[in-house]
Amino acid sequence: MTSRRFTDHFPVGILAECIPRDDVEEAIDRSGTREKRSRLLPSRIVVYYVIALGLFFGESYDEVMRRLVNGLQFLGGWLPSWHVPTPSAITQARKRLGEEPFKVLFQLTAKPLASSATPSAWFHGQRVLAIDGVVLDAPDSPENAEAFGYSVGGKGKGAYPRVRVVAIVECGTHAVVHAAIGEAGTTERTEAWGLVGALDSGAVLLADRGFFSLTLWESLIEHKIDAVFRISRNMKLPAIKEFTDGSYLSVLLPSKRQSSIRKSSRRSSRGDIAAENQYLLDHGVPCRVVEYEVEGSDEPYRLITTLRDHIKIPALEIAALYHERWEVENVFDEIEVHQLGHGRVLRSKSPELIKQEIWGVLLAHYAVRKLVHKASGVAEIDPDRLSFIRALRIVRRQLTNGADFSPQHTPRDAG
């Protein structure tokens, strides 16, 4: 029997089911981070290990490694001399990879999960997505402070550097399908801008106040993505045409040119309201406005949408659709409270490893959500009815209770 290294039997079976090894290998190759010589921790193992850190967030580096090797002594073909790497060795292995392979892996792996039968995943044949941001605390190292900065509020500077994560979530499955990482001082709109180009046409994107900009709106239209955004009551939206469902046609104008366009429209129309409205439409972007009140809310809701057919899609449907946006808040709760543990600070002392760590957390969350979606399909129930925390516990148990074989070696090779 030929001896194999312990890492040839690394227990990543349940992770490999959700995050395919072929994708891991491709991400390593694309990023040019494959090791040049045999190491105690090969690149592919480090990738799965960082994802495992996102599953066992409260455990130390070496304890996560010990959990992963649990129950492997019965296997033949691994070297008894293999030992659990020290935290320092693990950190060095992470530094060799950096952020890029994890970012690439997320792009390769994190695809929408909903099938045509998934409840709450579709709206008039369009995939329902929501975008929002969350801010995470990073360790207070000089490098993190310089890269990410601190939040500043009424009580002064925050205690930790803060990292902003903007995510696009598939509402029907809670899968994070696109994400961007930046410093807390950047606006959500800034990070959102880079995500729009990655979206597939035929979707509808939901967003709360703070995300709207005319440039972003026009980019969504260009990419054939419909949108429903909540906006401020202070934004000027003239009622150009009222519809029978209570919504109305309006126009979005460039903020720096609004005043001059409105003055020109009044001059050119000479008191003709229809001509003035047409001038505004010609120099702006048409939209539909839906306004309504919710019992218990402090202020009315005001939505703008690209879905302008009030006959096919009445205002009540738009209002109901917008409230699917809260699914993204539930996703952040899953990550912050259940996966990371509320109030916990990320592990890494350098910006590169902070970003790597966050991609690992997002990949771990996606793996859990993929398993939940698979289980819900077998049971023919809404994925929302299955507990995320129970699924997370199952993944943790399965990851530590069995071994898996390297794609380079068959079980026969292992003895």
Side-chain angles (χ1 to χ4, degrees):
M1 180 183 68
T2 303
S3 291
R4 304 293 184 191
R5 289 181 305 164
F6 169 80
T7 49
D8 290 334
H9 313 287
F10 210 76
V12 296
I14 198 164
L15 281 182
E17 180 181 345
C18 300
I19 302 171
R21 286 169 167 168
D22 287 347
D23 286 352
V24 172
E25 300 290 351
E26 183 176 349
I28 292 169
D29 287 337
R30 280 196 195 181
S31 59
T33 53
R34 189 174 297 281
E35 66 273 11
K36 300 297 189 294
R37 59 186 176 85
S38 178
R39 292 185 179 275
L40 185 67
L41 289 172
S43 297
R44 63 180 176 84
I45 298 304
V46 179
V47 169
Y48 282 118
Y49 173 77
V50 170
I51 297 170
L53 288 177
L55 292 170
F56 299 101
F57 189 79
E59 304 291 352
S60 65
Y61 280 2
D62 50 345
E63 178 61 23
V64 173
M65 187 67 73
R66 289 189 179 92
R67 284 177 177 268
L68 291 175
V69 305
N70 179 45
L72 293 181
Q73 286 81 355
F74 70 91
L75 278 179
W78 62 280
L79 297 177
S81 60
W82 192 92
H83 59 276
V84 175
T86 65
S88 176
I90 293 170
T91 298
Q92 289 304 312
R94 291 182 60 201
K95 286 180 178 179
R96 285 196 298 270
L97 285 183
E99 175 197 7
E100 190 61 21
F102 295 88
K103 183 177 180 179
V104 173
L105 179 59
F106 184 83
Q107 293 167 347
L108 289 171
T109 303
K111 305 298 183 184
L113 297 172
S115 69
S116 58
T118 305
S120 305
W122 306 92
F123 182 76
H124 289 266
Q126 295 177 288
R127 191 182 303 275
V128 180
L129 307 173
I131 187 170
D132 208 346
V134 64
V135 176
L136 304 175
D137 290 333
D140 191 14
S141 68
E143 295 86 352
N144 286 340
E146 181 179 358
F148 302 119
Y150 299 85
S151 62
V152 179
K155 296 182 179 180
K157 189 180 76 171
Y160 297 100
R162 311 205 75 192
V163 189
R164 183 180 298 282
V165 181
V166 174
I168 294 179
V169 169
E170 184 180 44
C171 291
T173 64
H174 285 198
V176 179
V177 294
H178 298 286
I181 302 171
E183 61 187 65
T186 59
T187 67
E188 293 174 329
R189 287 194 300 270
T190 302
E191 301 300 338
W193 172 253
L195 299 178
V196 169
L199 294 176
D200 295 327
S201 60
V204 55
L205 182 67
L206 315 178
D208 202 0
R209 291 170 295 188
F211 275 94
F212 174 77
S213 73
L214 185 55
T215 305
L216 179 61
W217 192 263
E218 289 177 315
S219 181
L220 288 168
I221 293 173
E222 179 184 351
H223 287 88
K224 296 181 172 56
I225 306 294
D226 278 311
V228 179
F229 282 25
R230 188 180 180 186
I231 57 168
S232 168
R233 298 285 299 177
N234 297 327
M235 187 171 173
K236 292 182 179 180
L237 289 172
I240 292 175
K241 181 179 179 181
E242 295 185 0
F243 299 129
T244 55
D245 66 344
S247 63
Y248 59 89
L249 176 68
S250 189
V251 63
L252 303 168
L253 300 173
S255 57
K256 294 182 179 180
R257 297 180 54 220
Q258 278 197 47
S259 179
S260 61
I261 291 174
R262 292 182 192 281
K263 288 178 181 177
S264 297
S265 69
R266 289 192 290 270
R267 284 198 303 267
S268 63
S269 64
R270 297 180 180 179
D272 185 335
I273 299 298
E276 182 178 340
N277 287 338
Q278 188 58 53
Y279 185 96
L280 293 176
L281 291 171
D282 291 341
H283 290 79
V285 179
C287 71
R288 180 179 168 201
V289 181
V290 176
E291 297 178 330
Y292 60 98
E293 295 184 357
V294 174
E295 186 176 353
S297 177
D298 294 336
E299 59 179 298
Y301 279 70
R302 194 186 198 200
L303 310 178
I304 56 172
T305 181
T306 57
L307 300 166
R308 290 163 53 188
D309 189 339
H310 67 285
I311 302 298
K312 180 182 177 182
I313 308 176
L316 283 175
E317 287 193 24
I318 298 293
L321 170 64
Y322 175 74
H323 286 271
E324 289 294 317
R325 191 203 70 80
W326 287 101
E327 299 299 337
V328 74
E329 304 286 354
N330 292 334
V331 169
F332 290 150
D333 179 80
E334 292 170 358
I335 293 173
E336 287 190 279
V337 177
H338 300 299
Q339 193 176 336
L340 300 185
H342 185 68
R344 285 183 176 156
V345 180
L346 296 170
R347 302 171 185 263
S348 307
K349 301 292 179 64
S350 72
E352 182 82 357
L353 294 191
I354 281 288
K355 293 178 181 179
Q356 179 196 87
E357 184 178 346
I358 291 172
W359 290 119
V361 168
L362 293 175
L363 284 162
H365 181 271
Y366 183 83
V368 176
R369 272 291 153 200
K370 190 172 183 179
L371 289 172
V372 168
H373 175 69
K374 183 178 180 180
S376 69
V378 173
E380 297 183 344
I381 60 176
D382 190 331
D384 285 351
R385 295 182 58 190
L386 297 180
S387 166
F388 174 82
I389 187 59
R390 289 184 180 179
L392 178 62
R393 288 169 181 160
I394 290 171
V395 171
R396 287 169 173 166
R397 286 197 299 270
Q398 291 295 323
L399 191 62
T400 59
N401 286 344
D404 190 49
F405 292 97
S406 163
Q408 298 176 347
H409 304 288
T410 64
R412 182 172 55 84
D413 293 330

